C-alpha cells in the first residue's frame, strides 16, 4: 500500500454519504457497514454537535475516507512514509503524542488509542482525510472519532464556548449540569431527564454554547456525542435495577473491574440511542440555555438544593471551561477547513448572563433524594 495511491479515487465497493456540519458539507466514504452504523448511532438524534445527514452535496469542504487493511499493510504504509518524508510528532489528544511524516503533498499520521496497542494511520491530502485501519471493533471507531474531531474543530473555530458539563432539558430549555470529575454530572442529568415531565437528556461531559443571534440574547446549547459513562452506583441512585438484561454495543465492564463502586474508574458506556432505549429518556441535541445546576452526588451526604452564590458558580465554571484548557483536544492536526472564525465569549460575559438565570447547587445520595431533587428543582425554576 503506497501513500500516493491513497490520495486518489474511492475504494471499490465503498458507500458514500453526506453530512452537514453546521453549514460545512462533509463527504464520508467507507467500505465498513460497522463503521457507517456507528457514525449514525453516534450523531443521533440529528443535530448532535451540529451534525445532520444531507443529500448529495457538490464540492464538499472535506472528504473522509475509511479503508480497512491488515497490520502488514498499515506498517508498510507507515514505513514508506518514514523513509520518504520528514519525521515529526503531533498531539492526537491532550498530552498523547504520536509520530507524523510530512511529505511534499501529503502528511501521514500514526493513529493509536491511548488504551490500545492496535496501530492505524491517517493520510492527509488537500481536501481529503484517508483513514487506514484494522478490521476490528476498535478500527470501526476511527471514522466516528475523526468526524467528531472535525465537527469540534469547526464549532470551536466559529466561537463555541466549551464547558465540561452534562445537560438536560426542562420546559424546552437546557440546564447545564457542571462540576468536576466525580461530582455526579451524568447521574444528575439523566436522573432529572427521567423524572421531570416533558424533559430530555442532552449529553455527557462536553457542551458547546453559542451566542444566539436573535433579539433575545443568551446562548444555545449543543451536545457533543460522547458516550454516557455510568457505574452501578449511579444506576442505584437513579433506581435502575434491570441493567443486567441490556445488550449494549460497548459491552459491560469485565469481571473484576470496579464498575460496581460508586466512584469506580471502569464504567458502562451508552450511546445516545442506548440512553433513549434503556433509560427511557428523550434525547435532545440542542436547546436554548435556561439555567445551571452544580451537583454533588455522595452516598453519605444528605439532600440539599439551594441557589448558588455567584462566587461558587464562577469558581466551578472557570475550573470546567474547556475553552480555557481543553483536556481532550490538542493541536488542530487535521487542518480542518473553516469558512469563518470568531472568538468564543469570555467566561466573564457568560457569568454575567448567568446572573439573569437560575443557578442552583444540590446534593443527593440516594434514589429518594433524586425524587426530592426533581420536585424541588421544578419549584425553584418556577419562581
Amino acid at each position: 500500500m503506497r501513500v500516493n495511491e491513497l490520495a486518489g479515487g474511492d475504494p471499490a465497493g465503498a458507500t458514500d454519504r453526506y453530512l452537514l456540519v453546521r453549514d460545512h458539507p462533509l463527504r464520508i466514504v467507507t467500505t465498513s457497514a460497522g463503521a457507517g452504523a456507528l457514525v449514525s448511532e453516534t450523531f443521533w438524534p440529528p443535530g448532535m454537535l451540529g451534525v445532520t445527514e444531507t443529500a448529495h452535496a457538490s464540492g464538499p469542504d472535506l472528504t473522509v475516507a475509511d479503508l480497512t487493511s491488515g497490520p502488514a499493510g498499515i506498517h508498510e504504509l507507515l514505513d514508506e512514509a518514514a523513509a520518504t518524508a520528514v519525521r515529526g510528532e503531533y498531539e492526537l489528544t491532550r498530552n498523547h503524542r504520536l509520530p507524523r511524516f510530512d511529505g511534499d503533498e501529503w502528511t501521514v499520521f500514526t493513529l493509536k488509542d491511548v488504551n490500545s496497542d492496535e496501530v492505524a494511520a491517517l493520510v492527509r491530502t488537500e481536501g481529503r482525510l484517508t483513514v487506514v485501519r484494522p478490521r476490528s471493533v476498535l478500527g470501526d471507531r476511527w471514522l466516528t472519532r475523526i468526524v467528531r474531531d472535525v465537527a469540534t474543530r469547526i464549532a470551536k473555530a466559529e466561537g463555541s464556548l466549551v464547558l465540561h458539563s452534562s445537560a438536560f432539558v426542562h420546559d424546552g430549555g437546557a440546564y447545564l449540569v457542571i462540576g468536576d470529575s466525580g461530582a455526579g454530572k451524568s447521574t444528575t442529568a439523566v436522573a432529572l431527564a427521567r423524572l421531570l415531565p416533558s424533559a430530555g437528556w442532552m449529553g455527557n461531559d462536553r457542551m458547546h454554547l453559542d451566542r444566539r443571534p436573535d433579539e433575545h440574547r443568551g446562548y444555545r446549547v449543543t451536545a457533543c456525542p460522547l458516550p454516557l459513562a455510568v457505574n452501578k452506583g449511579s444506576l442505584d441512585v437513579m433506581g435502575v435495577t434491570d441493567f443486567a438484561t441490556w445488550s449494549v454495543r460497548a459491552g459491560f465492564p469485565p469481571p473484576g473491574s470496579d464498575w460496581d463502586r460508586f466512584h469506580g474508574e471502569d464504567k458502562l458506556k451508552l450511546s445516545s440511542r442506548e440512553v433513549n432505549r434503556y433509560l427511557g429518556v428523550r434525547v435532545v441535541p440542542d436547546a436554548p440555555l435556561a439555567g445551571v445546576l452544580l451537583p454533588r452526588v455522595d452516598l453519605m451526604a444528605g439532600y440539599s438544593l439551594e441557589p448558588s452564590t455567584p462566587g461558587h458558580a464562577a469558581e466551578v465554571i472557570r475550573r470546567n471551561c474547556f475553552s480555557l484548557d481543553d483536556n481532550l483536544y490538542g493541536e488542530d492536526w487535521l487542518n480542518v477547513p473553516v469558512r469563518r472564525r470568531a472568538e468564543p465569549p469570555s467566561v466573564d460575559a457568560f457569568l454575567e448572563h448567568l446572573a439573569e438565570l437560575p443557578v442552583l447547587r444540590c446534593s443527593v445520595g440516594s434514589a429518594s433524594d433524586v425524587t426530592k431533587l426533581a420536585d424541588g428543582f421544578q419549584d425553584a425554576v418556577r419562581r
Side-chain angles (χ1 to χ4, degrees):
M1 184 177 297
R2 304 188 63 82
V3 177
N4 290 331
E5 296 171 355
L6 296 174
D10 301 334
T15 59
D16 66 348
R17 62 198 288 194
Y18 292 85
L19 304 177
L20 204 59
V21 182
R22 297 194 171 210
D23 59 354
H24 294 65
L26 183 67
R27 180 171 176 255
I28 304 297
V29 180
T30 184
T31 57
S32 167
L38 186 56
V39 170
S40 298
E41 182 161 337
T42 299
F43 295 96
W44 180 91
M48 278 282 181
L49 201 49
V51 176
T52 56
E53 200 93 23
T54 188
H56 177 87
S58 59
D61 291 358
L62 188 66
T63 292
V64 181
D66 171 56
L67 280 66
T68 57
S69 175
I74 295 169
H75 285 289
E76 179 185 354
L77 172 65
L78 292 171
D79 289 344
E80 181 203 345
T84 59
V86 177
R87 183 188 176 102
E89 285 188 340
Y90 79 105
E91 195 175 43
L92 173 63
T93 54
R94 184 66 74 189
N95 299 322
H96 180 43
R97 304 193 69 83
L98 292 169
R100 64 182 286 169
F101 308 96
D102 294 295
D104 292 336
E105 297 181 349
W106 47 259
T107 298
V108 175
F109 300 89
T110 304
L111 299 180
K112 189 165 79 68
D113 187 86
V114 68
N115 297 313
S116 172
D117 293 328
E118 187 175 280
V119 176
L122 182 141
V123 181
R124 187 184 72 197
T125 52
E126 184 67 29
R128 187 180 181 94
L129 305 172
T130 304
V131 180
V132 184
R133 48 77 174 188
R135 301 175 184 89
S136 66
V137 173
L138 178 61
D140 277 348
R141 296 176 186 168
W142 280 112
L143 179 59
T144 292
R145 287 185 64 166
I146 296 304
V147 174
R148 189 169 58 215
D149 197 311
V150 168
T152 299
R153 302 295 181 184
I154 291 172
K156 293 176 75 170
E158 293 186 349
S160 279
L161 180 69
V162 188
L163 295 176
H164 182 211
S165 172
S166 297
F168 64 94
V169 171
H170 172 65
D171 274 352
Y175 288 84
L176 300 176
V177 185
I178 305 175
D180 302 326
S181 295
K185 299 184 299 297
S186 301
T187 303
T188 304
V190 174
L192 290 176
R194 297 177 78 231
L195 292 172
L196 293 170
S198 303
W201 179 77
M202 292 193 70
N204 178 61
D205 199 62
R206 301 170 73 89
M207 291 291 144
H208 286 255
L209 281 78
D210 292 278
R211 285 168 290 202
R212 298 172 65 187
D214 59 25
E215 70 279 6
H216 300 296
R217 294 202 311 120
Y219 295 81
R220 189 157 195 90
V221 181
T222 303
C224 179
L226 292 170
L228 170 67
V230 294
N231 50 35
K232 184 176 177 296
S234 295
L235 297 178
D236 289 342
V237 168
M238 288 188 281
V240 176
T241 60
D242 61 343
F243 58 86
T245 65
W246 298 352
S247 175
V248 298
R249 176 189 286 270
F252 280 83
S257 67
D258 63 358
W259 97 281
D260 59 338
R261 302 178 192 168
F262 185 68
H263 290 296
E265 292 294 323
D266 296 304
K267 296 185 178 182
L268 178 65
K269 296 182 178 180
L270 305 174
S271 69
S272 56
R273 277 191 185 273
E274 290 169 335
V275 169
N276 173 254
R277 181 181 305 130
Y278 296 120
L279 293 176
V281 300
R282 184 170 63 105
V283 180
V284 181
D286 60 84
L289 177 65
V292 170
L293 188 62
L294 308 173
R296 177 184 175 217
V297 177
D298 186 338
L299 298 181
M300 305 305 294
Y303 168 75
S304 66
L305 175 67
E306 61 187 3
S308 173
T309 63
H312 176 72
E315 180 183 339
V316 174
I317 289 169
R318 288 185 188 280
R319 206 165 52 232
N320 288 280
C321 181
F322 284 158
S323 292
L324 299 178
D325 183 19
D326 194 326
N327 72 338
L328 177 59
Y329 290 98
E331 63 183 278
D332 182 9
W333 58 282
L334 294 175
N335 283 356
V336 175
V338 177
R339 298 184 178 188
R340 56 190 169 272
R341 292 187 178 273
E343 289 297 317
S346 68
V347 180
D348 287 339
F350 177 64
L351 292 171
E352 182 179 345
H353 177 68
L354 284 187
E356 305 171 12
L357 301 175
V359 180
L360 307 170
R361 60 187 301 184
C362 70
S363 174
V364 297
S366 65
S368 62
D369 286 350
V370 172
T371 302
K372 293 177 187 176
L373 176 60
D375 293 335
F377 173 82
Q378 290 183 84
D379 291 338
V381 299
R382 194 180 294 130
R383 293 169 187 162

